């Protein structure tokens, strides 16, 4: 079953919609329906939704800043791994240097 939905779209959204639709050989309405369907599917099938409210946190802005916190954690993990690699490389070089100087 289809329904009609009438929207007033600001010019700054309508012009790019028309342009992209023309490039794709489609009508703006067809493209808008596809984009709306894709956005709704992502919203409906949110893989993290089951975790909402599952954990308590002392971070009051976690919901708004989670991407920043996760990104910072990934950067910190990467830096820790790089430091570990540097330490291993340094130990390897030290071992080689010490063996060479002993001979």
């Amino acid at each position: 079953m289809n329904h009609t939905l009438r929207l007033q779209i600001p010019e700054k959204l309508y012009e790019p919609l028309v342009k992209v639709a023309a490039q794709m050989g489609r009508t703006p309405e067809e493209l808008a329906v596809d984009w709306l369907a894709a956005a709704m599917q992502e919203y409906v099938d949110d893989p993290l939704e089951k975790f909402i409210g599952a954990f308590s946190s002392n971070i009051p802005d976690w919901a708004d800043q989670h991407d920043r916190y996760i990104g910072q954690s990934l950067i910190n993990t990467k830096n820790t791994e790089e430091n570990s690699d540097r330490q291993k490389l340094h130990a390897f070089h030290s071992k080689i240097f010490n063996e060479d100087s002993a001979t």
Side-chain angles (χ1 to χ4, degrees), residues 13-46:
L13 294 177
Y14 185 73
E15 286 181 18
L17 176 65
V18 171
K19 183 177 178 181
V20 171
Q23 291 171 346
M24 297 176 74
R26 306 188 62 204
T27 67
E29 293 81 6
E30 290 170 332
L31 188 57
V33 167
D34 286 350
W35 284 351
L36 182 59
M40 286 304 300
Q41 194 63 39
E42 187 174 313
Y43 177 77
V44 170
D45 293 338
D46 183 355

Side-chain angles (χ1 to χ4, degrees), residues 51-66 69-70:
F51 297 110
I52 296 173
F55 306 102
S56 61
S57 171
N58 293 331
I59 305 170
D61 62 347
W62 171 252
D64 297 325
Q65 300 294 327
H66 63 277
Y69 291 129
I70 292 169

Side-chain angles (χ1 to χ4, degrees), residues 51-101:
F51 297 110
I52 296 173
F55 306 102
S56 61
S57 171
N58 293 331
I59 305 170
D61 62 347
W62 171 252
D64 297 325
Q65 300 294 327
H66 63 277
D67 287 339
R68 184 172 63 88
Y69 291 129
I70 292 169
Q72 187 61 51
S73 177
L74 290 173
I75 289 169
N76 292 344
T77 300
K78 178 76 172 152
N79 289 340
T80 301
E81 290 171 357
E82 287 174 357
N83 286 337
S84 175
D85 290 345
R86 282 190 200 108
Q87 290 170 350
K88 290 175 188 174
L89 184 59
H90 178 71
F92 176 73
H93 283 282
S94 295
K95 182 178 179 183
I96 291 173
F97 179 73
N98 290 336
E99 288 179 2
D100 287 345
S101 64

